[in-house]
Amino acid sequence: MSESNVKFSEAEALHFHSRGRPGKIEIVASKPMATQRDLSLAYSPGVAVPVRAIAENPASAYDYTAKGNLVAVISNGTAILGLGNLGALASKPVMEGKAVLFKRFADVDSIDLELDTEDPQRFIDAVALLEPSFGGINLEDIAAPDCFVIEQTLRERMNIPVFHDDQHGTAIITAAGLINACLLTARELSAINVVVNGAGAAAIACTELIKAMGVRGDKVIMCDRSGVIHKGRDDLDQWKSAHAVETERRTLADALQGADVFLGLSAAGALKAEWVPAMAPRPIIFAMANPDPEITPPEAKAARPDAIVATGRSDYPNQVNNVLGFPFIFRGALDVRARAINDEMKIAAAEALARLAREPVPDEVSAAYGGQSPRFGADYIIPAPFDPRLLEVVPAAVAEAAMRSGVARLPIDNMAAYRQSLRARLNPTVSVLSLAYEAAKTSPKRVLFAEGEEKNVLRAAIAFKDGGLGTPVLVGRDEVYDHLRELGVDDPSGFEVLNSRNSPLVGRAVDHLYAKLQRRGFLRREIERLVNQDRNYFAAAMLALGEADAMITGTTRPFSQSLRQVQMVIGEESCAPFGINIVVGQNQTVLIADTAVTERPTAAELAAIAERSAAFARRMGQEPRVAFASYTTFGNPPGAHVGALREAVALLDSRQTDFEYEGEMSPDVALNHEMQRRFYPFSRLTGPANILIMPGLQSANLSAKLLRAVGGENVLGPYLVGMSLPVQIAPMTATATDLVTLAVLAAGEAERAKRA
């Protein structure tokens, strides 16, 4: 139930999965493997020591191997998303994707396994044999009714958590929303009348969970394709018959008479608008068919303006999204070495999610809603998927429930310390970048892509448009349409293209630039030639004239050349512009500045860069800790070129700053707080630095490019700060993904300027 409104071409999807290293996951060693000694410790003979320890005490496998943080995502491909039975091999991209979500949201390592069998017993036997390898089993995309047999049998045979997310993930998020919807409508779970439309895996799991939470069985009517599941039917399997009731009602329309709740896990359009008025006052409607709901929220609201409506889609309020559940449920289960994921743990997760939706949202989530803070109410009963508090709140609740219910083998003595450790697993920058994409959808902008004839730029523009992130405006010649068609765009005319040779806006661009440059030695015909022949001048003029909200360029020429051209058209803010590269680690993000503009900044410029970088870090979810980087740390070894750094620190000392800073420091000291405390106890930093202000462009640029070459897409930028209008200049090596991220961040700057 995590369908979104994001669209993309088939060509883009295939390119995403095939570029670079095919697929979405890789194995990375967690210990050094550089020397022969490392290899000897990792394998023979060093590995013999933990082998003997585990043989003597099997529980120590959690101490000496990755088992305790490793989940297998397993499928046979019999029910892949909404695509049906396409086989085990075809399910692999989905299972890899699930593994990525485990890592992204909860720092759980995951390996996908696709089993080529539709025989439930063979599947069960294969999975059961894997117990020594994994800390948990996530079953995925297995068709009903086999999924019930498989999960139940594996739960009985295995001594680690087994969880079929298609069933229980949907059920937990639905239950969280139902708790809050009942709270808003002054209902008790024990008193509500519920109609469940659909009798597949998710529908039965939802029904079982809400009954476990207090909904009375005789108040739940389940319907399948044949109508109401009642005790008089002789065509029911054991799973449907468990929810059969004594009733005279026979159709969905009959069942809805006076119903408080509709839970739809069936098919698009199954709930007719004319049936909704017969429901009880303030009805609760969860229309979760994938990809299109049983009834859309506008249709439901038109029929019953007092309804509370949820769907599985991100383009409507109250999205029932499984990513709110499974990563965090497994995180809590793994951390207490749970034997199973039981009803108590599922209910604890649902209640934790419900409580979180009732709390004021943090700034990161508010930004995703265009600066508006969503508040608990009819349109906000389920937390946002990128709420950074999820990783702290849900696993802690699940772990506590596991301990209370007796399935935890490693109880947690200090829950406060555990919650702190959960917070430490989260890299806030990653959440903020994700939320920036959501914010772009909320307040879409027009973004100029100045190099509109480049294939890489076009891929980014396609992704930007199809993702609902805004409107790309392509600057290029008429052949842009041919290139779009080659990239799989069915209707290239749907893209706006500005041709600097024949656009009716050329005259305005020339007038604007001539007025700006006529006293700097430029003749009008020179300006005309610049505008006609160079896309940067024309695009920048369009931005200055308000024809778009932001601009992206840089892939066809060096950064410095693009910046000079843009600066001729667009002015700067009070301080000179500079570049920030964002180095995104698993649990930490480090900003490096200035990586793009000033060759040898003065002390005043360094202090200004520090102040602006600190503000940028806060927008990225970080509490700034600035280190002025050098080859020397507080004069050791002595250096002749640290005067500007020390003077910059003195300048900040004389100002009212609201962030931590220190220097001069070598990067290894700046990023290692333990070393600071041991050798430099006078350091003013309370943790490792997350902003490195470099002494000059040469060291900064070399560092950023070296890290980019080694770290790949974990190094973003440079992000240009200090222009009077939102302009981003990408490196020539930028991928389409890099360009989309820069466009999203530029759009965010435009929105902030609008609200200022």
Side-chain angles (χ1 to χ4, degrees), residues 180-215:
N180 281 339
C182 286
L183 185 63
L184 287 169
T185 57
R187 289 178 166 100
E188 296 290 335
L189 287 175
S190 60
I192 59 175
N193 293 296
V194 180
V195 175
V196 180
N197 195 51
I204 288 176
C206 285
T207 304
E208 290 177 346
L209 185 60
I210 64 173
K211 287 181 179 179
M213 292 171 59
V215 176

Side-chain angles (χ1 to χ4, degrees), residues 276 282-283 299-309 378:
V276 176
R282 301 198 71 186
E299 291 171 332
K301 291 283 191 179
R304 285 296 295 269
D306 60 339
I308 294 177
V309 187

Side-chain angles (χ1 to χ4, degrees), residues 432-683:
V432 170
L433 288 172
S434 298
L435 284 166
Y437 276 73
E438 297 303 307
K441 296 176 188 177
T442 304
S443 303
K445 304 298 180 191
R446 286 169 55 84
V447 177
L448 289 152
F449 288 77
E451 296 152 319
E453 295 163 5
E454 301 298 315
K455 293 288 182 68
N456 213 30
V457 174
L458 289 175
R459 287 192 182 96
I462 292 168
F464 191 75
K465 181 177 186 290
D466 290 348
L469 301 169
T471 301
V473 181
L474 300 169
V475 179
R477 308 301 184 212
D478 291 340
E479 54 263 32
V480 167
Y481 294 113
D482 294 331
H483 296 327
L484 287 168
R485 195 171 289 107
E486 291 170 9
L487 291 172
V489 176
D490 294 331
D491 182 19
S493 64
F495 283 78
E496 182 178 351
V497 177
L498 293 180
N499 188 332
S500 60
R501 288 181 180 169
N502 55 29
S503 169
L505 298 171
V506 169
R508 290 181 60 206
V510 171
D511 290 343
H512 174 82
L513 193 53
Y514 181 57
K516 188 177 182 66
L517 299 178
Q518 60 188 349
R519 293 184 179 275
R520 291 170 57 183
F522 285 87
L523 300 176
R524 186 177 180 88
R525 62 175 177 268
E526 292 179 282
I527 299 297
E528 290 173 348
R529 185 169 61 253
L530 288 177
V531 170
N532 289 150
Q533 297 182 2
D534 196 293
R535 293 165 294 187
N536 275 347
Y537 292 109
F538 179 57
M542 291 297 95
L543 180 61
L545 290 168
E547 294 294 329
D549 302 296
M551 171 183 166
I552 305 297
T553 188
T555 65
T556 61
R557 63 200 81 189
F559 187 101
S560 58
Q561 181 181 348
S562 293
L563 179 60
R564 285 195 303 271
Q565 292 169 336
V566 172
Q567 284 177 308
M568 288 179 65
V569 186
I570 296 172
E572 303 162 1
E573 295 181 359
S574 55
C575 77
F578 63 95
I580 294 178
N581 276 79
I582 307 170
V583 184
V584 181
Q586 180 176 321
N587 303 114
Q588 181 185 15
T589 292
V590 177
L591 308 182
I592 303 176
D594 163 28
T595 57
V597 181
T598 306
E599 184 173 357
R600 179 62 68 176
T602 65
E605 288 171 328
L606 288 167
I609 290 170
E611 291 172 326
R612 301 287 295 270
S613 298
F616 181 87
R618 286 204 169 102
R619 295 202 296 273
M620 290 291 105
Q622 301 276 358
E623 187 56 36
R625 291 186 295 273
V626 173
F628 289 89
S630 176
Y631 60 90
T632 175
T633 299
F634 303 120
N636 182 21
H641 302 288
V642 297
L645 299 175
R646 292 176 178 172
E647 190 178 340
V649 172
L651 285 171
L652 292 179
D653 286 342
S654 68
R655 301 174 184 173
Q656 297 259 331
T657 57
D658 60 352
F659 60 90
E660 297 178 17
Y661 57 90
E662 188 59 280
E664 71 284 358
M665 307 172 79
S666 63
D668 58 329
V669 175
L671 298 175
N672 187 331
H673 191 239
E674 180 59 35
M675 187 179 292
Q676 292 176 42
R677 293 198 303 180
R678 182 179 177 187
F679 295 107
Y680 308 100
F682 53 86
S683 171

Side-chain angles (χ1 to χ4, degrees), residues 356-472:
L356 189 60
R358 297 196 293 267
E359 296 177 4
V361 302
D363 291 341
E364 299 98 311
V365 177
S366 177
Y369 288 83
Q372 301 296 316
S373 294
R375 294 184 178 182
F376 176 58
D379 288 336
Y380 191 75
I381 60 173
I382 301 171
F386 294 107
D387 191 324
R389 300 170 297 176
L390 286 164
L391 183 52
E392 175 185 353
V393 171
V394 180
V398 170
E400 288 181 318
M403 291 186 286
R404 286 195 306 270
S405 59
V407 297
R409 286 175 289 196
L410 184 69
I412 296 171
D413 296 326
N414 188 335
M415 286 303 297
Y418 174 57
R419 291 172 73 104
Q420 177 61 39
S421 73
L422 291 171
R423 285 195 295 271
R425 286 182 178 271
L426 179 69
N427 186 336
T429 297
V430 176
S431 292
V432 170
L433 288 172
S434 298
L435 284 166
Y437 276 73
E438 297 303 307
K441 296 176 188 177
T442 304
S443 303
K445 304 298 180 191
R446 286 169 55 84
V447 177
L448 289 152
F449 288 77
E451 296 152 319
E453 295 163 5
E454 301 298 315
K455 293 288 182 68
N456 213 30
V457 174
L458 289 175
R459 287 192 182 96
I462 292 168
F464 191 75
K465 181 177 186 290
D466 290 348
L469 301 169
T471 301

Side-chain angles (χ1 to χ4, degrees), residues 344-358:
E344 291 87 346
M345 295 160 74
K346 298 172 197 171
I347 293 170
E351 291 175 342
L353 288 167
R355 286 193 300 271
L356 189 60
R358 297 196 293 267

